[in-house]
Amino acid sequence: YHSLPAICSTVNSSTIPRKSFNAALVNAGYRVSAYHKDPGAVKTDAPNHVVWDVVRGWCKENPPQPRKVNKRHRKGEDPGSNAPPKHPHSDVASLILNKEIKTKIDFTIPESFASRKKAVRYALNPEANWGPKAAASG
């Protein structure tokens, strides 16, 4: 499975709406569904390079914010562990986003999405104090 917030934070981008991400994968010819444990994650049969191509396509339409630099680094103080990278390509986000997109990315919502049944996902508990009761005694 792929966690959309984790993938997007890797490239400093805003999180892709799940419906748009699903649409891009379906339009590319892959299957996609929600992950049962995490509301922000998806399961898909698309290879990893296609998933990253979708992220690159999203970042072309919605450019990510530049990573913030700590104030003390601007003053010329001791860089410590939070120092900005010395090598221009040591930033993971720039390495990922500078690769060429090999998959045709289309974020239009397919008509098949409109006919899907609306179901409650991650429902709340039905009543107060719902759940396991006291153990049987006797």
Side-chain angles (χ1 to χ4, degrees):
Y1 73 95
H2 300 279
S3 174
L4 296 182
I7 289 173
C8 291
S9 70
T10 302
V11 294
N12 307 325
S13 170
S14 61
T15 302
I16 305 171
R18 197 172 79 196
K19 195 170 190 179
S20 298
F21 185 81
N22 291 356
L25 289 177
V26 168
N27 291 334
Y30 297 99
R31 295 179 300 170
V32 65
S33 64
Y35 183 60
H36 71 281
K37 189 175 175 185
D38 184 5
V42 294
K43 297 183 294 183
T44 182
D45 60 349
N48 287 337
H49 70 86
V50 174
V51 172
W52 284 110
D53 282 348
V54 171
V55 173
R56 286 184 202 101
W58 174 258
C59 288
K60 281 195 175 197
E61 292 183 10
N62 305 293
Q65 298 294 322
R67 188 173 289 275
K68 294 179 182 176
V69 178
N70 196 333
K71 289 180 183 178
R72 69 181 179 159
H73 299 134
R74 284 186 246 153
K75 294 177 184 176
E77 294 178 11
D78 182 31
S81 61
N82 293 330
K86 294 180 181 178
H87 189 272
H89 293 293
S90 62
D91 183 27
V92 175
S94 65
L95 286 174
I96 293 171
L97 294 177
N98 289 335
K99 287 189 177 181
E100 181 184 345
I101 298 175
K102 298 177 182 176
T103 310
K104 182 179 178 283
I105 305 300
D106 181 16
F107 287 107
T108 57
I109 309 296
E111 292 179 13
S112 62
F113 281 24
S115 64
R116 292 186 180 183
K117 182 181 174 185
K118 298 282 182 181
V120 176
R121 299 194 188 278
Y122 310 102
L124 300 174
N125 292 338
E127 59 186 38
N129 301 319
W130 177 84
K133 305 297 180 198
S137 62

